[in-house]
Amino acid sequence: MKNYITHDEWSIVEDGFHAAYNEITESLMSLGNGRMGQRGNFEETFTGKTLQGNYVAGVYFPDKTRVGWWKNGYPNYFAKVLNACNWVGIDVKIGDEVLDLNTCLVEDFRRVLNMKEGVLERIATVALPSGRRVRIHSKRFCSMADDQAGAIRYSVTPLDFTDYFTVTPYLDGNIRNRDSNYDETFWNEIHKETSFSEGYLILETKENPYGVEQFQVSTGMAFDIRINDLKTDYQSLPVRQEKYVAGTVNIEVNEGKELVVYKYGVNLSSTNYAPEAILAETKKYLGGIYEKGFEQLLADHIKTWAEKWEKNDITIEGDIAAQQGIRFNIFHLGQTYTGEDERLNIGPKGFTGEKYGGSTYWDTEAYCIPFYLATAEQKVARNLLVYRYKHLEKAIENAEKLGFTNGAALYPMVTMNGEECHNEWEITFEEIHRNGAIAFAILDYTRYTGDESYLSEYGLEVLIGISRFWKQRVNWSAEKGKYVMLGVTGPNEYENNVNNNWYTNYIANWTLRYTLEVIGKLWTTNSSRLNEIIIATNFDLNGEMADWKHIVENMYFPYDEARRVYLQQQGFLDKEILTVNDIADHRPINQKWSWDRILRSCFIKQADVLQGLYLFEEDFTVDDIKRNFEFYEPMTVHESSLSPCVHSILAAKLGLKDKAYEMYVRTARLDLDDYNNDTEDGLHITSMAGTWMSVVKGFAGQRVVDGFLHLNPYTPEQWESYSFRIGFQGALLHVEVSKDGVHIQNLSETDLTMFLFGERVFVAGNSSVQK
């Protein structure tokens, strides 16, 4: 665990340059706007430890699968989120010395991500190898108001000398993905041009044999050079190299004078523009950005962030580390996905790194949708569900490749376009519980918003496809007289190829029940639309429903009568039952143990049985949940970013306040403190929604039951108070919780009847209640 980031309520602060941790800091201080993003790299040359990263939403490459032993059914490719053209670069040469913090003596250094405004700022004083000293001051942002643009104010001041500075703002397409399977580059140059203080570079992804479309990204830059922020005359020498354009300026700077570079960058992609028009559109967009200027762009950007924070901020009094942690997580969620484009989803690293490849995992449905339901307009969460509906045909194709028939749908473990592109057998084809998470998200959305029109418009078709998959994936066990599910991997990825994983069996069984329920609902409320769906899906109403009902009534769920707990899978008790306290010196086991040893152990990567008890808690008694929590949590090593939040929520429900807080801190500061020694690869974006859930669903006890919002809040002992805002069915509530009580203010005109501590409460529009 690292502890070098200064605790601050609204900022991520690195005081002093921690060169060994630079890639971690680059991840932490990444910027994005839902359409493009940039790691917290330096603008000038840096030859030390760094991962240059610029990413454009929806753009990817089908990297050829690389495995040791090919198995029938493997995807041919693994879709990689592409490291795109570096638009932030500004090389600086002073006399014959290159400004490079890896070769300079860093005298003082401060790098700050202002989360309130979405601005990354860096101030440093360094001594060049010659001993001459300069001060660097940079400020940049990816505009939330103009979401295909970013802007930089970068300055260098000679503190004790006068000399000529050579400044070269550039666009560089000679980049590669660190995680390329065969160390390939993925871009071809299509066009480049430069003129005075401008440059354009169009790159296209290479041809591929998999039928995946090729993408073009057109990157443009414009810059201005000033002295002490006053206009000055200068010449810009155009530079053109392979996949590279730049403008070089040679200018004398006197001692104590500030050389300022304003640089504007735009990224437009062929996902939104026709290739034949993309250059003209880039020039037009860049011209508008340049005309606005840095200060106006910044003001518009800050205003947009202020509007976001009005809806999703959580305040915590009395615990700065916790306050910083929750805002850090909310900030990155806000800049990763805006919901403006239903073709996009939430990648596990967002715009902060390359690891894990594809854009979409089951994390979106299980973890992210609750956050966006409560903190954004309804269309945002709806678009996440529409995204899956539009991939239904691909999900059916994925299932067909594995031998399933009759419209059975298997949604991918990893995808960019709906096609499976993950290539670890035990996960890709066995971690099928993801199908159930997508079905659950439909319930989650409809019960939270009350928008049941989604069921007839999109939802039922998805549910039918998933239910058909579950029907074919189970088989009848004559020995047990039950339906069983063989050869699966549950949420706990430290168990592969097991039989009857309880969570997978349960969520499959629930999906069948829910699909039957939805069919029954539409039968009475919208029979004409139901008939259209029956025809479109070639649905055998009587036969398929009878099959599903039989499975629902006869599914096998492993259970231990002595302990009265649900078994993670059949045969789980054959393992030696230990707790994490027995292996304190062996953690993290994924870095210290062989895979063979991990698979034979009882240790659990993340919530598995407890994941099911969290999602379906209304199906179980508090005693059921308590027994299973006390059995499984001590065996859980929490080496998945998705684990702590589920445990925090369940612990809060059970009154285990110390454990709930411990797990909250772990999820809130997972990346800030680098708990799992992997932050340098990028942040855990999807699990960040779990941090929000730990507060709102955990400490505040937020649930939706029978269409009503329920809150059952308490204040952790470490806090004086906390507050949050949530939208619910047209109402916007501001909830303040302290040791003295709960204050709920309705900020909208919509009246709301809800439950507080189990009692029915009416909160009229523009009024408040206190308890």
Side-chain angles (χ1 to χ4, degrees):
M1 204 169 71
K2 315 298 187 299
N3 190 27
Y4 72 100
I5 296 298
T6 302
H7 291 179
D8 184 279
E9 291 184 352
W10 273 110
S11 297
I12 306 304
V13 182
E14 180 191 23
D15 270 320
F17 184 37
H18 300 78
Y21 296 159
N22 186 53
E23 289 185 347
I24 296 173
T25 314
E26 288 176 341
S27 295
L28 297 177
M29 300 197 178
S30 297
L31 297 173
N33 57 22
R35 191 73 67 182
M36 56 180 273
Q38 171 70 46
R39 282 172 60 85
N41 310 116
F42 297 161
E43 290 83 4
E44 76 276 0
T45 300
F46 183 66
T47 57
K49 190 174 184 181
T50 183
L51 172 60
Q52 179 65 45
N54 175 43
Y55 310 98
V56 179
V59 174
Y60 65 98
F61 185 79
D63 195 11
K64 183 180 179 183
T65 293
R66 184 171 187 169
V67 294
W69 178 23
W70 189 271
K71 300 179 178 69
N72 289 336
Y74 262 162
N76 289 314
Y77 68 86
F78 189 80
K80 297 293 172 64
V81 174
L82 286 188
N83 200 337
C85 177
N86 173 13
W87 68 271
V88 303
I90 305 172
D91 284 345
V92 179
K93 193 174 181 182
I94 305 167
D96 60 357
E97 295 182 286
V98 174
L99 180 58
D100 176 357
L101 267 63
N102 192 48
T103 61
C104 293
L105 174 64
V106 180
E107 296 181 356
D108 60 68
F109 181 98
R110 183 176 171 86
R111 183 165 31 174
V112 179
L113 173 61
N114 180 333
M115 297 182 290
K116 189 172 187 178
E117 299 182 348
V119 175
L120 176 59
E121 189 167 9
R122 174 171 56 108
I123 301 175
T125 301
V126 303
L128 299 165
S130 64
R132 299 185 297 176
R133 300 168 63 247
V134 298
R135 182 171 62 246
I136 303 166
H137 186 186
S138 70
K139 180 185 288 188
R140 77 166 180 255
F141 58 94
C142 290
S143 174
M144 293 294 291
D146 299 277
D147 65 3
Q148 296 173 106
I152 304 169
R153 184 191 185 278
Y154 180 87
S155 74
V156 185
T157 304
L159 300 178
D160 52 12
F161 66 94
T162 296
D163 203 342
Y164 278 88
F165 282 56
T166 303
V167 179
T168 307
Y170 63 84
L171 303 177
D172 185 8
N174 290 290
I175 37 76
R176 64 175 64 242
N177 272 50
R178 180 179 287 181
D179 67 345
S180 169
N181 283 343
Y182 294 91
D183 200 31
E184 295 177 283
T185 58
F186 300 136
W187 295 105
N188 288 324
E189 179 186 294
I190 298 299
H191 177 82
K192 65 180 171 225
E193 64 176 76
T194 57
S195 58
F196 178 76
S197 298
E198 283 184 60
Y200 301 91
L201 186 62
I202 302 179
L203 303 176
E204 183 177 62
T205 53
K206 292 181 176 180
E207 291 185 16
N208 66 85
Y210 311 118
V212 174
E213 67 177 300
Q214 291 176 262
F215 297 94
Q216 286 189 9
V217 174
S218 178
T219 305
M221 72 166 182
F223 64 88
D224 191 20
I225 305 291
R226 301 187 180 191
I227 300 294
N228 278 5
D229 246 337
L230 299 175
K231 288 188 176 181
T232 187
D233 292 330
Y234 62 91
Q235 297 294 319
S236 173
L237 176 66
V239 180
R240 300 184 190 183
Q241 300 171 4
E242 184 181 359
K243 301 180 189 174
Y244 177 96
V245 296
T248 294
V249 176
N250 192 30
I251 187 169
E252 185 177 31
V253 186
N254 294 321
E255 179 180 336
K257 298 293 185 180
E258 184 183 36
L259 169 64
V260 182
V261 182
Y262 285 99
K263 184 177 182 183
Y264 307 89
V266 301
N267 286 300
L268 277 64
S269 81
S270 57
T271 61
N272 300 307
Y273 300 92
E276 61 271 16
I278 198 167
L279 178 61
E281 293 290 343
T282 303
K283 291 181 177 180
K284 179 182 177 182
Y285 198 89
L286 181 61
I289 295 301
Y290 185 82
E291 184 68 24
K292 270 192 176 184
F294 186 86
E295 293 303 328
Q296 185 59 53
L297 284 169
L298 179 59
D300 293 345
H301 169 72
I302 292 173
K303 180 174 181 288
T304 304
W305 262 117
E307 292 168 354
K308 280 184 169 288
W309 285 117
E310 276 292 310
K311 295 179 181 178
N312 61 25
D313 188 25
I314 291 179
T315 65
I316 297 172
E317 297 293 334
D319 190 336
I320 293 178
Q323 177 69 87
Q324 182 184 45
I326 189 64
R327 282 187 172 140
F328 174 75
N329 287 269
I330 293 171
F331 172 77
H332 279 287
L333 285 165
Q335 68 175 4
T336 298
Y337 183 76
T338 63
E340 295 300 322
D341 190 337
E342 65 187 31
R343 298 169 301 172
L344 301 178
N345 210 283
I346 305 160
K349 294 297 181 186
F351 298 116
T352 72
E354 304 163 10
K355 194 174 180 182
Y356 299 134
S359 165
T360 312
Y361 286 62
W362 68 286
D363 310 14
T364 293
E365 282 73 26
Y367 293 84
C368 297
I369 280 181
F371 169 78
Y372 292 105
L373 279 172
T375 64
E377 296 178 21
Q378 183 173 314
K379 70 173 185 178
V380 175
R382 200 175 205 269
N383 277 347
L384 287 170
L385 297 186
V386 170
Y387 176 92
R388 292 294 195 180
Y389 171 79
K390 291 192 171 182
H391 286 174
L392 177 57
E393 289 305 313
K394 286 285 188 182
I396 292 172
E397 290 176 16
N398 292 334
E400 288 174 346
K401 291 175 184 177
L402 301 182
F404 294 87
T405 60
N406 190 37
L410 175 59
Y411 278 91
M413 185 66 190
V414 178
T415 192
M416 293 294 291
N417 64 1
E419 186 175 18
E420 179 64 76
C421 62
H422 191 274
N423 53 24
E424 293 179 49
W425 181 271
E426 66 275 9
I427 293 176
T428 309
F429 305 112
E430 295 185 346
E431 199 167 325
I432 52 178
H433 62 81
R434 61 187 185 260
N435 244 16
I438 292 165
F440 181 82
I442 295 172
L443 168 69
D444 207 12
Y445 170 81
T446 54
R447 72 180 175 185
Y448 195 93
T449 65
D451 176 22
E452 296 204 342
S453 68
Y454 182 83
L455 296 173
S456 58
E457 192 174 356
Y458 301 114
L460 180 55
E461 290 180 65
V462 172
L463 291 171
I464 287 173
I466 293 173
S467 293
R468 283 171 163 170
F469 173 83
W470 289 130
K471 189 267 178 185
Q472 295 176 46
R473 188 58 173 79
V474 300
N475 62 272
W476 180 258
S477 167
E479 178 191 1
K480 291 182 170 59
K482 295 283 185 181
Y483 287 98
V484 296
M485 188 120 48
L486 309 178
V488 302
T489 297
N492 172 27
E493 293 172 339
Y494 289 174
E495 292 277 12
N496 299 155
N497 197 31
V498 302
N499 294 334
N500 294 307
N501 170 257
W502 182 86
Y503 173 75
T504 305
N505 285 19
Y506 198 89
I507 203 165
N509 203 58
W510 172 85
T511 302
L512 294 172
R513 279 192 281 129
Y514 181 54
T515 307
L516 290 167
E517 177 187 320
V518 171
I519 291 172
K521 184 177 295 184
L522 293 185
W523 185 274
T524 58
T525 62
N526 197 345
S527 60
S528 61
R529 174 57 183 153
L530 176 60
N531 192 55
E532 291 174 359
I533 294 171
I534 289 171
I535 294 170
T537 59
N538 194 27
F539 187 66
D540 178 359
L541 188 63
N542 292 323
E544 293 191 69
M545 288 181 66
D547 288 343
W548 296 351
K549 288 177 182 177
H550 196 257
I551 295 169
V552 167
E553 294 166 0
N554 294 280
M555 181 73 86
Y556 174 67
F557 299 107
Y559 185 75
D560 178 51
E561 294 287 352
R563 293 176 175 83
R564 297 169 66 202
V565 297
Y566 303 103
L567 295 182
Q568 184 174 273
Q569 71 267 349
Q570 187 178 331
F572 182 80
L573 293 178
D574 291 336
K575 295 173 177 287
E576 181 183 11
I577 303 300
L578 303 171
T579 72
V580 294
N581 292 331
D582 297 317
I583 57 164
D585 296 334
H586 295 247
R587 299 173 66 190
I589 62 174
N590 62 9
Q591 297 174 25
K592 295 185 178 183
W593 281 10
S594 69
W595 192 239
D596 171 73
R597 187 176 183 184
I598 289 173
L599 291 177
R600 289 186 288 107
S601 78
C602 69
F603 296 111
I604 301 168
K605 182 180 181 184
Q606 68 189 79
D608 196 305
V609 169
L610 299 184
Q611 181 79 28
L613 298 180
Y614 155 66
L615 290 179
F616 304 107
E617 67 174 16
E618 65 274 13
D619 294 350
F620 305 95
T621 67
V622 172
D623 284 344
D624 287 335
I625 297 171
K626 185 173 187 291
R627 284 194 304 274
N628 282 274
F629 188 92
E630 291 176 345
F631 180 65
Y632 285 109
E633 196 283 328
M635 287 183 269
T636 306
V637 292
H638 301 294
E639 289 172 14
S640 164
S641 64
L642 301 177
S643 186
C645 68
V646 172
H647 290 81
S648 180
I649 294 166
L650 289 179
K653 178 182 178 66
L654 296 173
L656 305 173
K657 295 182 179 181
D658 289 343
K659 177 58 70 173
Y661 188 77
E662 173 196 341
M663 291 291 102
Y664 164 77
V665 171
R666 188 179 179 98
T667 187
R669 301 194 62 86
L670 178 76
D671 288 312
L672 283 173
D673 295 336
D674 195 21
Y675 269 84
N676 291 341
N677 295 315
D678 59 2
T679 303
E680 64 186 27
D681 297 324
L683 305 179
H684 297 84
I685 299 297
T686 49
S687 75
M688 288 177 166
T691 305
W692 178 91
M693 290 196 299
S694 296
V695 175
V696 177
K697 287 177 174 272
F699 304 144
Q702 180 259 326
R703 302 289 192 275
V704 178
V705 181
D706 296 329
F708 291 97
L709 178 68
H710 288 241
L711 292 175
N712 187 31
Y714 74 90
T715 305
E717 290 184 8
Q718 296 83 350
W719 300 353
E720 297 297 326
S721 65
Y722 63 101
S723 70
F724 58 91
R725 291 186 179 185
I726 53 173
F728 182 75
Q729 298 186 7
L732 178 62
L733 304 180
H734 179 73
V735 181
E736 298 179 36
V737 185
S738 71
K739 293 178 171 63
D740 295 327
V742 180
H743 181 263
I744 300 176
Q745 184 178 6
N746 190 341
L747 303 176
S748 67
E749 296 181 356
T750 303
D751 297 342
L752 182 69
T753 298
M754 58 173 292
F755 285 80
L756 181 60
F757 298 116
E759 294 184 10
R760 193 181 186 98
V761 175
F762 178 72
V763 190
N766 299 310
S767 70
S768 62
V769 298
Q770 190 152 353
K771 195 173 181 68

